[in-house]
């Protein structure tokens, strides 16, 4: 009897998986929605009666349990690099010329695909089974979103075909997106339920894959197209076009609009056709991606620090629309910079409803002769940030009003604002300005700073409105009883936030210094200061401007900002309160910190056992300096796979190379 039930379960599973393949990969559905639902319910019912027969890869197991804490981060086996852009047809021509010149040939074959406005994802399969899915992240590491990716029926839990033929390991890159029709339906539901609607389909997709509860993700229809293999073991494919065919054969959807292209004329035609058909495509695209087809040629071309030479993202012209400027308001950033924002008559551009546009500063307003009540052309710059591209002067109404920031006070605290000599921006100098304080607190909690999970913009605003938090150090005095009494907080959420704050107290010098928001002191500068000050905040606070300027990588502007910060009694008090309330700085161990003193390194290519950031940090901790360009001063070139022109330049300068096999012994 059990074998019959098992046989029936296997039959239903295969039938459902076959339909998913036909629907999402072949675009040839074999079943109606009602027939599919009936099969699914039969499988659910049978598995409920015989839970011992449920397989983890069953279609019914796609929606699992919510994860209890935040997202875990994992390194990408091969970095997910971004692409350089071409913003017009001439730059597409230039890209083709560079490729042909580098390869010393007259013609190169390419593959072109639509550039989807979505969210990059990495799917990792071992022996044909999906084991992990990661976001792109910073290109070198991403967040584990496996629990949400499993809810997407288009992503196979087990690859199709003979299981003995699947590679031992394969990492596949794809783009998660939401169809325009599904996005519209989602917003209609949210509007009906009095929930905030999503600004655009990309935000909706990104928000969906970062849910802790996969049941929420499953309710939002997400789609995916796969476009690249990051790395693999036991797979031999020699071209991009063959790779797309292979992905389709193992059950992964690839974009049917992809084309093989043999010359520059076809390349430009493809891009123009795609742009002309943009509105008729069922998902948002903002350009075309053009890649060299032959993998051997790609290897010869290599890559730059952040992008491969063998591919380019050709962007469409920014979409624009006519609207009217209803008002100009001011916003205050955490450093006190006042930014003018145009409030416009709502208009739809690229699937997003636009109701405001940045005006940057007073110089921009004067240059474009922008008045309140003017009719204007608003444009989504790069299809992301709305801006006023130009004013329709001939339609200027009689009630148009000239705007000047100098006539206003700070919109948050009503203090006088000033424009420093040599700067374009006006600033609020009031240290207690609520908007500045809130911005500082949000920055302090952010991922690259103290990384306090759960302290988003709305929660920070709520804590400030409740007078529980007035400065960043007040975060470390929050208690469970403070939080549980607030709206939106219950027993679990209050405990989670208290635990997140306590966990963040144990931090590193670079994180803490970056979190303090010292003007001009970013993550890189914080790491330089860490080494010089030996992880001591006290030592940093007493350095003179001359001592600061003598540190390699620290200039006059940064030095003055640090001096100004520590000369402020209020900043000193906040800093001391953080330490008194439990913040501890983990001392960075710079092993053999003088081992590579006076040595200059350049890193090129990708690595199997390391990522480039790790190599850079190790070299810097041992006293070395890492630069991005080869010169006569370079001591060593660290060479990974797919090394580019830097390898040739290093040979020209007779610079020693260290490959990955030699790297471990060299570092130790």
């Amino acid at each position: 009897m059990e074998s019959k039930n098992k046989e029936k379960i296997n039959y239903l599973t295969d039938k459902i998986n076959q339909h998913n393949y036909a629907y999402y990969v072949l675009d040839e559905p074999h079943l109606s929605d009602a027939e599919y639902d009936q099969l699914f319910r039969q499988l659910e019912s049978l598995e409920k009666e015989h839970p011992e027969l449920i397989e983890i890869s069953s279609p019914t197991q796609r929606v699992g349990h919510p994860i209890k804490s935040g997202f875990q981060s994992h390194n990408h086996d091969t970095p997910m690099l971004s692409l350089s852009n071409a913003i017009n047809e001439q730059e597409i021509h230039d890209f083709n010329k560079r490729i042909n010149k580098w390869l010393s040939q007259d013609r190169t074959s390419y593959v072109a695909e639509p550039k989807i406005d979505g969210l990059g994802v990495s799917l990792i399969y071992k022996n044909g089974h999906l084991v992990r899915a990661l976001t792109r992240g910073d290109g070198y590491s991403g967040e584990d979103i496996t629990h949400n990716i499993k809810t997407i029926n288009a992503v196979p839990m087990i690859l199709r075909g003979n299981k003995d033929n699947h590679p031992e390991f394969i990492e596949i890159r794809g783009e998660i997106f939401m169809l325009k029709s599904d996005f519209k339906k989602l917003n209609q539901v949210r509007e009906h339920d009095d929930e905030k609607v999503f600004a655009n389909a990309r935000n909706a997709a990104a928000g969906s894959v970062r849910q802790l509860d996969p049941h929420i993700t499953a309710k939002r229809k997400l789609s995916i197209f796969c476009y690249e293999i990051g790395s693999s073991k036991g797979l031999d494919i020699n071209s991009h076009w063959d790779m797309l065919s292979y992905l389709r054969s193992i059950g992964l959807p690839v974009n049917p609009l992809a084309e093989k292209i043999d010359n520059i004329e076809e390349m430009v035609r493809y891009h123009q056709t795609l742009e002309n058909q943009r509105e008729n495509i069922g998902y948002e695209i903002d350009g075309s991606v053009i890649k060299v087809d032959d993998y051997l040629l790609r290897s010869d071309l290599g890559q730059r620090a952040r992008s491969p030479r063998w591919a380019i993202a050709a962007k469409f012209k920014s979409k624009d629309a006519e609207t009217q400027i209803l008002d100009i308001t001011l916003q205050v950033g955490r450093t006190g910079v006042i930014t003018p924002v145009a409030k416009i008559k709502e208009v739809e551009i690229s699937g997003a409803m636009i109701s405001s546009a940045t005006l940057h500063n007073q110089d921009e307003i004067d240059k474009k002769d922008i008045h309140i009540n003017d009719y204007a052309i608003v444009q989504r710059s790069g299809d992301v940030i709305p801006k006023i591209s130009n004013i329709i002067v001939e339609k200027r109404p009689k009630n148009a009003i000239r705007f000047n920031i100098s006539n206003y006070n700070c919109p948050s605290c009503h203090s006088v604002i000033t424009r420093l000599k040599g700067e374009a921006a006006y600033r609020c100098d009031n240290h207690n300005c609520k908007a500045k304080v809130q911005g500082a607190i949000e920055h302090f909690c952010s991922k690259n700073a103290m990384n306090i999970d759960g302290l988003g913009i709305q929660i920070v605003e709520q804590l400030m409105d409740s007078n529980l938090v007035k400065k960043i150090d007040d975060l470390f005095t929050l208690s469970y009883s403070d939080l549980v009494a607030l709206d939106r907080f219950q027993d679990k959420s209050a405990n989670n936030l208290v635990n997140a704050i306590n966990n963040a107290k144990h931090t590193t010098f670079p994180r803490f210094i970056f979190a303090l928001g010292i003007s001009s002191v970013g993550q890189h500068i914080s790491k330089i200061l860490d080494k010089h000050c030996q992880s001591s905040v006290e030592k940093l606070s007493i350095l003179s401007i001359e001592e600061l300027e003598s540190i390699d990588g620290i200039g006059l502007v940064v030095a003055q900002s640090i001096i100004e910060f520590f000369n402020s009694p209020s900043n000193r008090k906040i800093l001391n309160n953080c330490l008194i309330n439990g913040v501890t700085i983990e001392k960075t161990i710079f092993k053999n910190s003088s081992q590579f003193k006076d040595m200059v390194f350049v890193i090129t290519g990708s690595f199997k056992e390391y990522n480039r950031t790790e190599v850079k940090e190790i070299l810097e901790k041992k006293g070395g300096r890492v630069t991005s360009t080869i010169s006569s001063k370079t001591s060593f070139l660290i060479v990974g796979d797919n090394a580019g022109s830097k390898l040739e330049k290093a040979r020209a300068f007779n610079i020693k190379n260290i490959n990955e096999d030699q790297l471990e012994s060299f570092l130790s």
Side-chain angles (χ1 to χ4, degrees):
M1 188 66 166
E2 183 175 317
S3 62
K4 283 190 175 181
N5 290 325
K6 180 68 174 173
E7 192 175 312
K8 180 68 171 174
I9 285 174
N10 287 341
Y11 169 78
L12 291 170
T13 298
D14 289 344
K15 193 83 173 171
I16 290 169
N17 287 337
Q18 182 61 34
H19 172 74
N20 285 337
Y21 175 68
Y23 186 89
Y24 294 106
V25 179
L26 302 181
D27 196 22
E28 298 172 357
H30 295 164
L31 302 170
S32 67
D33 289 348
E35 290 170 326
Y36 179 86
D37 290 341
Q38 187 178 7
L39 282 178
F40 197 89
R41 282 194 295 270
Q42 285 181 39
L43 180 59
E44 273 186 321
S45 178
L46 201 54
E47 288 181 340
K48 192 173 183 180
E49 292 174 14
H50 306 281
E52 72 280 0
L53 299 179
I54 299 175
E55 297 283 349
I56 193 171
S57 58
S58 169
T60 65
Q61 303 304 299
R62 283 185 173 272
V63 184
H65 298 290
I67 59 175
K68 293 181 179 178
S69 57
F71 297 88
Q72 299 296 313
S73 184
H74 297 273
N75 289 336
H76 294 300
D77 194 67
T78 302
M80 293 182 73
L81 301 178
S82 55
L83 298 180
S84 55
N85 292 331
I87 60 173
N88 53 46
E89 289 176 15
Q90 181 57 50
E91 292 189 358
I92 298 176
H93 280 273
D94 292 343
F95 166 72
N96 180 59
K97 285 179 184 176
R98 286 197 303 272
I99 296 295
N100 289 335
K101 183 177 180 181
W102 191 285
L103 297 173
S104 300
Q105 59 189 32
D106 296 328
R107 179 173 293 187
T108 304
S109 290
Y110 301 92
V111 173
E113 303 160 72
K115 183 179 180 297
I116 297 174
D117 190 14
L119 186 81
V121 65
S122 163
L123 307 175
I124 299 167
Y125 289 86
K126 290 186 178 178
N127 298 314
H129 291 258
L130 178 67
V131 295
R132 182 172 291 155
L134 301 175
T135 61
R136 181 183 178 276
D138 63 359
Y140 296 99
S141 64
E143 292 179 324
D144 190 333
I145 52 170
T146 314
H147 64 296
N148 286 328
I149 294 303
K150 284 181 177 179
T151 69
I152 304 173
N153 287 333
V155 177
M157 307 274 272
I158 301 176
L159 298 177
R160 288 175 59 81
N162 188 335
K163 63 181 181 181
D164 295 328
N165 293 335
H166 291 314
E168 176 188 342
F169 170 92
I170 184 169
E171 185 228 345
I172 298 157
R173 274 82 191 269
E175 195 81 6
I176 301 285
F177 61 96
M178 190 175 284
L179 293 172
K180 292 175 182 177
S181 56
D182 292 330
F183 170 64
K184 186 176 180 180
K185 289 174 187 175
L186 174 62
N187 266 351
Q188 285 172 345
V189 171
R190 292 179 70 84
E191 196 168 20
H192 179 268
D193 295 340
D194 288 329
E195 293 183 285
K196 186 178 180 181
V197 297
F198 288 105
N200 52 59
R202 189 192 185 284
N203 286 2
S208 300
V209 299
R210 294 201 79 259
Q211 294 291 325
L212 295 178
D213 187 352
H215 290 86
I216 297 174
T217 308
K219 291 177 183 176
R220 303 174 183 177
K221 282 195 171 184
L222 294 176
S223 301
I224 184 173
F225 282 135
C226 296
Y227 58 82
E228 195 72 78
I229 292 176
S231 57
S232 64
K233 290 180 182 177
L235 187 66
D236 185 22
I237 294 177
N238 298 314
S239 75
H240 189 79
W241 193 248
D242 289 345
M243 181 273 301
L244 292 178
S245 297
Y246 171 73
L247 290 182
R248 196 181 292 110
S249 73
I250 59 175
L252 289 153
V254 299
N255 201 312
L257 296 178
E259 285 186 21
K260 195 169 181 180
I261 285 171
D262 292 322
N263 55 58
I264 183 61
E265 290 76 20
E266 288 182 14
M267 194 186 296
V268 172
R269 176 200 55 77
Y270 179 90
H271 182 73
Q272 290 174 340
T273 302
L274 207 59
E275 186 165 18
N276 292 336
Q277 295 177 349
R278 183 181 188 181
E279 297 301 326
N280 300 322
I281 294 173
Y283 43 87
E284 294 291 349
I285 61 173
D286 55 7
S288 58
V289 176
I290 303 159
K291 304 175 183 178
V292 171
D293 186 33
D294 190 297
Y295 283 0
L296 190 61
L297 296 182
R298 287 188 183 185
S299 181
D300 290 342
L301 289 161
Q303 62 191 42
R304 306 178 189 86
R306 298 291 299 180
S307 62
R309 285 193 182 83
W310 43 263
I312 198 165
K315 304 286 282 187
F316 293 150
K317 299 179 188 73
S318 296
K319 286 189 177 181
D320 55 34
E322 182 179 329
T323 187
Q324 186 177 17
I325 299 172
L326 304 177
D327 197 7
I328 296 177
T329 61
L330 301 177
Q331 293 180 350
V332 192
R334 67 179 178 86
T335 61
V337 170
I338 308 292
T339 303
V341 175
K343 297 299 177 182
I344 61 176
K345 191 172 183 179
E346 194 170 63
V347 63
E348 182 180 352
I349 305 179
S350 303
M353 298 306 296
I354 308 300
S355 58
S356 61
T358 181
L359 298 176
H360 300 293
N361 51 51
Q362 186 63 46
D363 289 351
E364 181 82 357
I365 292 172
D366 294 340
K367 180 182 175 183
K368 293 181 178 177
D369 192 26
I370 295 171
H371 290 54
I372 296 172
N373 295 323
D374 267 345
Y375 288 90
I377 301 298
V378 64
Q379 188 178 72
R380 284 187 72 189
S381 180
D383 276 351
V384 179
I385 304 167
K387 67 176 184 180
I388 301 296
S389 61
N390 61 279
I391 296 299
I392 307 173
V393 179
E394 57 271 22
K395 292 184 71 173
R396 174 166 287 163
K398 292 180 179 179
N399 64 342
I401 304 167
R402 189 177 293 277
F403 182 89
N404 196 305
I405 297 177
S406 63
N407 296 332
Y408 295 82
N409 289 344
C410 171
S412 175
C413 66
H414 308 295
S415 299
V416 173
I417 60 175
T418 57
R419 181 173 181 171
L420 298 180
K421 189 176 180 180
E423 287 194 11
Y426 283 81
R427 293 177 185 271
C428 171
D429 296 325
N430 177 14
H431 294 295
N432 297 316
C433 173
K434 183 182 176 182
K436 286 175 63 175
V437 173
Q438 183 172 331
I441 293 171
E442 289 167 8
H443 171 77
F444 187 79
C445 303
S446 63
K447 186 176 179 180
N448 294 321
M450 297 298 282
N451 194 24
I452 304 178
D453 193 32
L455 262 176
I457 294 173
Q458 290 181 326
I459 299 299
V460 170
E461 191 171 345
Q462 185 180 14
L463 293 173
M464 291 188 69
D465 289 342
S466 304
N467 289 321
L468 288 173
V469 174
K470 296 179 181 178
K471 313 177 297 301
I472 58 175
D473 53 298
D474 291 334
L475 293 168
F476 300 114
T477 62
L478 287 173
S479 65
Y480 166 83
S481 58
D482 290 330
L483 296 172
V484 79
L486 301 176
D487 291 340
R488 300 191 202 147
F489 279 95
Q490 296 178 348
D491 179 76
K492 186 177 179 181
S493 54
N495 270 320
N496 285 347
L497 185 52
V498 170
N499 290 335
I501 291 170
N502 286 332
N503 291 338
K505 286 180 180 178
H506 185 65
T507 189
T508 63
F509 180 95
R511 278 187 175 275
F512 187 62
I513 295 303
F514 175 62
L516 291 175
I518 304 171
S519 180
S520 304
V521 177
Q523 292 172 264
H524 177 64
I525 296 295
S526 299
K527 290 176 182 177
I528 292 174
L529 294 170
D530 185 22
K531 184 177 177 182
H532 185 84
C533 299
Q534 299 175 312
S535 304
S536 168
V537 178
E538 180 59 31
K539 185 172 181 180
L540 174 63
S541 70
I542 60 174
L543 290 177
S544 67
I545 195 163
E546 291 78 19
E547 288 172 317
L548 284 165
E549 278 197 276
S550 69
I551 302 170
D552 189 24
I554 304 295
L556 176 61
V557 172
V558 173
Q560 287 174 333
S561 293
I562 294 170
I563 294 293
E564 183 180 330
F565 179 87
F566 285 106
N567 280 345
S568 165
S570 60
N571 288 339
R572 283 272 195 175
K573 186 176 180 181
I574 288 171
L575 179 61
N576 289 335
N577 285 344
C578 286
L579 301 175
I580 290 168
N581 288 314
V583 172
T584 57
I585 309 294
E586 178 185 346
K587 186 174 176 62
T588 307
I589 306 300
F590 293 95
K591 292 180 181 177
N592 305 318
S593 60
S594 61
Q595 181 180 345
F596 298 147
K597 186 181 179 183
D598 300 327
M599 292 186 186
V600 179
F601 296 87
V602 174
I603 306 170
T604 188
S606 57
F607 302 87
K608 297 181 181 69
E609 300 298 326
Y610 300 89
N611 67 46
R612 291 161 63 110
T613 304
E614 288 176 333
V615 177
K616 182 175 183 290
E617 287 179 352
I618 292 169
L619 292 170
E620 289 176 339
K621 284 181 179 180
K622 291 174 179 285
R625 187 160 66 92
V626 179
T627 65
S628 59
T629 54
I630 294 284
S631 72
S632 58
K633 295 181 180 179
T634 305
S635 309
F636 292 95
L637 177 67
I638 310 295
V639 184
D641 292 337
N642 300 318
S645 61
K646 289 177 184 175
L647 184 56
E648 294 300 321
K649 289 180 181 177
R651 287 171 180 160
F653 282 109
N654 204 23
I655 292 165
K656 294 180 181 178
N657 300 330
I658 299 166
N659 62 36
E660 187 165 9
D661 294 334
Q662 302 166 320
L663 186 57
E664 187 172 349
S665 59
F666 178 80
L667 293 175
S668 60

